Amino acid sequence: MNQKSLIPIVLLLTMLISCHSTTPKLTDYVNPFLGTTTLWESADLGYTLSENPEFRTVLTEFGRRPAQGITRAWGAECFPGATLPHGMVQATPVTMFGSGSGYQYEDPNIYAFFHSSKGQWGLGHVPILPFTGQITADNYHSGYSHENESAKVGYYQVFLERYGINAEMTATMRCAYHKFTYRKGDEKKLLLTLSRMNSLRANARWTFKQENENTFSGSQSDIYFYAVANHTIKNTDSIKNDKETLTIVHFADGHKPLELKIGFSFVSIEKAKKNLEVEMLNKNFAQVADEAENTWETLLSKIRVTGGTEKQQKTLYSTLYRALQWPALRSDVDGEYIDTRGNVVNKGFDYYAGNNYWDTYANKMVLMGMIEPELTTHVIRSDIERAKSSGYLSSGFHGDFSMAFYTGMYKRGLRDYEIDTLYHYMLRNATVPAEGGRRGGRRYLDEYIRQGWIAENRVENPTVKTEEDEAKAAVMKTIEYAYSDYAVALMAKEMGDTDHYNILMQRSKNYKNVFDPSTGFVRGRWENGDWVTPFDPAYPYYVYMFRESNAWQSTFFALHDPEGLIGLVPGKQAFELKLDSVFTVPWGGYEADNLTGFFGQYCAGNQPAQGISYYYYFIDKQEKAQEKLNILMNDYYNMGKEGLAYAGMDDEGGLSAWYVLNSIGLYSFSPADSEYIITVPLFDRVTFALGDTPFTIRKENNGKKITNITYDGQKVNGYFISHDELLRGKELVIQTNKIGP
């Protein structure tokens, strides 16, 4: 029997042993492959994928299946590899350079194993690949089969068919551990593609050095590595093509698998070595993998559920696992990190990478603050330190949504950071335009302050692909800035700054300035105040008037003032009909970046629509909201033929966290406010730990209409409950109407 045929048997025995336990671990419910595949069918996408000859060329160059010669839609872009919560390292396979995470489930070949990935473009540090025999710089990939591939939290395995090598990997916070089992007699070689990261261009800066008989080190762009092997290095050499040079490490013969322990650091090779010595050097593979699983088990146990279906439980823990991977750690074991000025500093806290708040403010960052309050304060400290260099707090690629995060966390009691400094920079974001072309703060802020709205550029023939150098996404910025004004106003009130509170609360109504009563939608305006024409509320744009959305999706964005938004429509009945239409007016078949998975005009695969369903609460139609939420949770996760796709891109856990919160019955309708809107949970009972304080949620009956809510035996008026109330650690009981016999 050859080694390849042994792999499935070994995996089966492992599964049988793990199933022997009477009480399954929560980690057993996690499927790291969820979110790794792509939607192809028109019924799932909402449109027919277009022909794209350029994309076909890219696919051919990197060996990926041509996918019938059509454009690939963006999937959830998740990775299946090994990582810890918020770890610096992600040891994960590469099936396509230049994709979101580097891995696409439908791809037939593996090119390397990355050591960083966040499910968006970029990163992809230090690609390596074990091999044997002869390769060229243009032909080194290996085929693989999903039958000989497996993953669980903190562990990934795949059999490389071309080389007969079984590759396994696990990780600590700052280190990766690889175990490569070669066929008996095969020469052990390792390929490092250091000129390439997760990009289609081979342009990374890199160094490589053999340190001693079993150790090598180097750097790639902004990261350093130090690797120790359990075999002697015979020699190193390289192969080239017209684009890049690839490094090969040759190891001496030996009967044991090749084990490689790699430490990483963003400071220096010496710190990468120190990280390795502290976290991994004296541990074996099984020990590291077990510790990784135990770390995840402890974190996942912050939420425990009973009831619901097995599929719902698996989706809950798979999405919770995904939501708590980013932001990633950037400081070393001794606390040192590189600041934005390039200095090595140590501020006495864990330093984390920045966040794309446009994607995450509404649910992911709230969930993180609930489950990991201490870590969340470190994230805020990291943001403050970056602001000291730039002069502004970062909000990601659009809007200014970090404001809602900071205010929401402060109001939830997270205050172990420089509060006065944070407030100073929050005010700068809201009131001080960047000067002299300097980046930072809100774009077009001077225009927004002057007239209460941002004018759109006059673009000739705008399309779904209109870019940011042509248009402003002026409507979206106006309504998003209005909400961020509200968030800063709340913080001003906490700080006793009445003047700024009054100014910013007044500005928070600016969303009304782009509402066109003649159409009933938010709409762009020219610099002279006239409405943008032509205007089609169903047509989506990338940055023209809207950001990755259309008027149907953007009109329902006034999280701080739902009653005010409703008041713009002539009566609650009219508003209800408008809201119904979001879910019944068919999508027009438009193919646009970042827009996939449609429920009428509601785009389940992108952030702008996520808050729409809850507006039914404010017109006394809560059961209609729940009907929509149930459909979204049931039909827009676990999609595609493999059941592994999301409706759209997960965006650092944004879609994952939306599922987690709605599945347990709480959602942060307005993240700047420290309260949650109560929905009907999927599960009969939920135990949730707010930091170290557990509270419970219990559901009675299985209907959609909430008939009564109590907390600690006392009736809850309305549908909201505060964070402070939940911190009392009592029981929230949600009663619904009975269904069935």
Side-chain angles (χ1 to χ4, degrees):
M1 182 178 294
N2 62 38
Q3 184 171 357
K4 179 178 177 180
S5 61
L6 278 172
I7 301 299
I9 297 175
V10 172
L11 293 176
L12 178 61
L13 289 172
T14 302
M15 292 173 61
L16 290 173
I17 292 170
S18 65
C19 291
H20 182 70
S21 173
T22 56
T23 304
K25 293 184 176 180
L26 298 181
T27 51
D28 294 337
Y29 291 98
V30 175
N31 182 0
F33 289 106
L34 183 63
T36 63
T37 193
T38 307
L39 293 175
W40 298 96
E41 300 299 325
S42 300
D44 292 329
L45 290 167
Y47 54 83
T48 300
L49 288 164
S50 62
E51 292 282 342
N52 189 332
E54 291 182 4
F55 191 75
R56 185 185 305 151
T57 300
V58 171
L59 293 175
T60 302
E61 179 182 354
F62 290 97
R64 183 169 173 263
R65 187 181 299 113
Q68 299 82 46
I70 56 179
T71 303
R72 178 180 65 82
W74 289 355
E77 309 301 338
C78 299
F79 64 88
T83 191
L84 289 186
H86 310 284
M88 180 184 293
V89 169
Q90 295 80 39
T92 188
V94 182
T95 65
M96 182 182 180
F97 288 103
S99 71
S101 70
Y103 180 92
Q104 304 292 334
Y105 189 85
E106 62 271 20
D107 292 351
N109 298 306
I110 288 178
Y111 284 81
F113 299 106
F114 279 156
H115 293 95
S116 65
S117 178
K118 71 171 181 175
Q120 286 183 320
W121 281 256
L123 300 183
H125 287 107
V126 191
I128 68 171
L129 184 73
F131 74 99
T132 191
Q134 300 301 312
I135 61 171
T136 69
D138 299 304
N139 186 352
Y140 55 84
H141 58 270
S142 172
Y144 73 106
S145 167
H146 295 305
E147 294 180 358
N148 288 332
E149 180 188 35
S150 63
K152 62 180 182 178
V153 298
Y155 173 85
Y156 174 82
Q157 171 275 327
V158 68
F159 185 77
L160 302 176
E161 295 173 345
R162 175 175 177 176
Y163 306 117
I165 297 172
N166 188 46
E168 300 172 89
M169 55 209 69
T170 185
T172 60
M173 288 298 290
R174 302 169 180 86
C175 308
Y177 196 144
H178 296 272
K179 183 177 181 181
F180 302 130
T181 304
Y182 292 70
R183 292 172 301 211
K184 185 177 181 180
D186 281 354
E187 184 181 2
K188 297 177 175 64
K189 303 178 185 179
L190 186 73
L191 180 70
L192 290 88
T193 317
L194 294 175
S195 59
R196 190 180 296 281
M197 295 173 63
N198 192 15
S199 169
L200 296 179
R201 295 184 296 170
N203 61 353
R205 306 181 314 275
W206 61 275
T207 64
F208 176 86
K209 177 185 177 182
Q210 182 178 340
E211 295 279 353
N212 54 45
E213 64 178 9
N214 71 332
T215 304
F216 59 86
S217 65
S219 64
Q220 187 190 52
S221 293
D222 55 346
I223 202 169
Y224 302 87
F225 61 91
Y226 186 89
V228 177
N230 66 334
H231 288 270
T232 300
I233 298 173
K234 289 197 303 183
N235 65 287
T236 64
D237 61 15
S238 61
I239 54 176
K240 300 180 180 180
N241 59 19
D242 60 349
K243 298 178 181 178
E244 58 187 324
T245 299
L246 290 73
T247 302
I248 299 176
V249 182
H250 301 259
F251 293 94
D253 293 338
H255 299 300
K256 294 181 179 180
L258 172 63
E259 296 189 3
L260 196 65
K261 302 175 181 179
I262 313 176
F264 293 89
S265 168
F266 285 87
V267 175
S268 67
I269 290 174
E270 291 72 22
K271 289 302 172 69
K273 179 182 179 182
K274 182 66 175 179
N275 291 340
L276 180 64
E277 291 171 343
V278 171
E279 291 188 356
M280 181 183 286
L281 195 58
N282 295 320
K283 298 176 182 178
N284 62 39
F285 187 90
Q287 183 179 0
V288 174
D290 286 345
E291 289 176 355
E293 183 177 14
N294 291 337
T295 297
W296 275 111
E297 180 72 19
T298 299
L299 187 58
L300 296 175
S301 67
K302 295 283 188 175
I303 300 178
R304 291 187 175 274
V305 300
T306 56
T309 66
E310 182 180 27
K311 179 181 178 180
Q312 289 168 338
Q313 292 188 11
K314 288 182 176 180
T315 306
L316 166 64
Y317 288 110
S318 296
T319 52
L320 180 59
Y321 163 76
R322 197 63 71 185
L324 300 179
Q325 291 176 348
W326 193 266
L329 183 67
R330 288 294 180 262
S331 53
D332 294 326
V333 291
D334 61 1
E336 288 191 350
Y337 65 91
I338 297 288
D339 69 12
T340 55
R341 293 189 176 99
N343 300 316
V344 178
V345 296
N346 189 334
K347 299 288 185 171
F349 63 87
D350 293 332
Y351 184 74
Y352 288 89
N355 299 279
N356 193 347
Y357 287 105
W358 193 79
D359 298 317
T360 60
Y361 84 99
N363 40 59
K364 181 265 176 63
M365 300 306 288
V366 175
L367 177 65
M368 187 181 78
M370 296 169 76
I371 291 178
E372 303 172 289
E374 182 177 358
L375 181 145
T376 302
T377 62
H378 289 268
V379 171
I380 296 174
R381 288 180 178 182
S382 302
D383 285 354
I384 293 171
E385 291 303 313
R386 283 186 283 269
K388 290 177 181 178
S389 296
S390 68
Y392 294 94
L393 291 156
S394 173
S395 291
F397 81 118
H398 202 263
D400 196 22
F401 285 128
S402 63
M403 304 297 104
F405 168 59
Y406 304 133
T407 298
M409 291 303 108
Y410 181 89
K411 289 172 69 64
R412 287 171 173 83
L414 277 63
R415 302 179 182 183
D416 188 16
Y417 45 82
E418 298 175 37
I419 295 171
D420 290 341
T421 303
L422 176 66
Y423 180 57
H424 165 76
Y425 286 114
M426 290 177 71
L427 279 181
R428 278 187 60 82
N429 271 44
T431 62
V432 181
E435 296 180 355
R438 184 179 180 184
R439 295 181 62 85
R442 303 181 187 180
R443 295 193 68 183
Y444 316 113
L445 177 60
D446 51 352
E447 183 180 354
Y448 174 80
I449 292 174
R450 182 177 68 253
Q451 61 194 20
W453 50 276
I454 298 169
E456 188 51 85
N457 292 340
R458 292 182 181 267
V459 180
E460 186 176 355
N461 300 318
T463 70
V464 295
K465 294 185 178 297
T466 298
E467 294 285 346
E468 200 156 4
D469 58 348
E470 302 174 80
K472 297 180 179 177
V475 174
M476 202 71 148
K477 284 185 173 68
T478 299
I479 62 178
E480 290 176 349
Y481 290 174
Y483 181 68
S484 294
D485 285 340
Y486 170 77
V488 182
L490 293 185
M491 184 65 94
K493 185 177 182 179
E494 295 289 335
M495 298 294 104
D497 184 352
T498 303
D499 290 343
H500 278 111
Y501 170 77
N502 291 331
I503 292 170
L504 291 166
M505 283 300 288
Q506 182 62 37
R507 277 173 38 178
S508 73
K509 308 298 183 182
N510 283 345
Y511 73 92
K512 297 180 180 181
N513 295 334
V514 289
F515 183 85
D516 173 16
S518 70
T519 62
F521 292 98
V522 290
R523 181 178 179 180
R525 301 175 71 171
W526 303 128
E527 66 280 355
N528 65 359
D530 291 346
W531 297 112
V532 168
T533 55
F535 175 70
D536 179 357
Y539 192 86
Y541 294 100
Y542 186 59
V543 291
Y544 181 70
M545 292 193 286
F546 310 105
R547 180 83 204 204
E548 300 176 20
S549 65
N550 64 12
W552 276 105
Q553 296 151 17
S554 299
T555 293
F556 295 90
F557 186 80
L559 309 178
H560 57 302
D561 191 23
E563 291 85 359
L565 178 63
I566 293 168
L568 297 177
V569 177
K572 287 189 175 181
Q573 185 176 5
F575 188 86
E576 181 180 357
L577 291 173
K578 185 88 169 182
L579 199 50
D580 289 344
S581 297
V582 173
F583 301 95
T584 57
V585 172
W587 181 248
Y590 303 110
E591 181 182 17
D593 284 349
N594 274 352
L595 293 169
T596 54
F598 297 94
F599 181 1
Q601 291 291 315
Y602 182 107
C603 180
N606 208 13
Q607 284 71 24
Q610 285 183 331
I612 293 176
S613 304
Y614 311 97
Y615 282 96
Y616 280 113
Y617 278 77
F618 300 97
I619 54 172
D620 302 318
K621 297 290 183 180
Q622 169 274 322
E623 67 277 10
K624 279 193 170 185
Q626 194 62 49
E627 176 188 43
K628 308 303 186 292
L629 296 176
N630 288 349
I631 291 171
L632 290 165
M633 286 187 284
N634 185 61
D635 296 346
Y636 292 87
Y637 294 79
N638 304 288
M639 296 179 73
K641 65 180 181 180
E642 301 93 352
L644 296 174
Y646 284 19
M649 190 172 172
D650 194 31
D651 287 317
E652 301 178 17
L655 294 185
S656 292
W658 186 94
Y659 184 94
V660 172
L661 290 168
N662 282 285
S663 73
I664 66 170
L666 296 173
Y667 189 73
S668 52
F669 177 73
S670 172
D673 292 286
S674 55
E675 61 182 8
Y676 309 94
I677 197 167
I678 297 168
T679 65
V680 180
L682 298 178
F683 310 101
D684 297 333
R685 185 179 179 86
V686 178
T687 301
F688 191 114
L690 284 177
D692 297 325
T693 304
F695 68 91
T696 59
I697 303 170
R698 182 164 56 86
K699 179 178 67 173
E700 293 184 356
N701 304 321
N702 290 302
K704 298 182 182 71
K705 184 176 178 60
I706 296 176
T707 57
N708 191 46
I709 304 171
T710 62
Y711 186 69
D712 192 20
Q714 302 297 311
K715 182 176 177 60
V716 174
N717 295 318
Y719 295 101
F720 285 88
I721 188 165
S722 72
H723 188 85
D724 286 346
E725 279 293 293
L726 295 178
L727 277 173
R728 293 174 52 216
K730 305 302 181 179
E731 183 178 57
L732 176 68
V733 179
I734 304 168
Q735 296 175 309
T736 73
N737 60 309
K738 293 182 179 180
I739 59 173

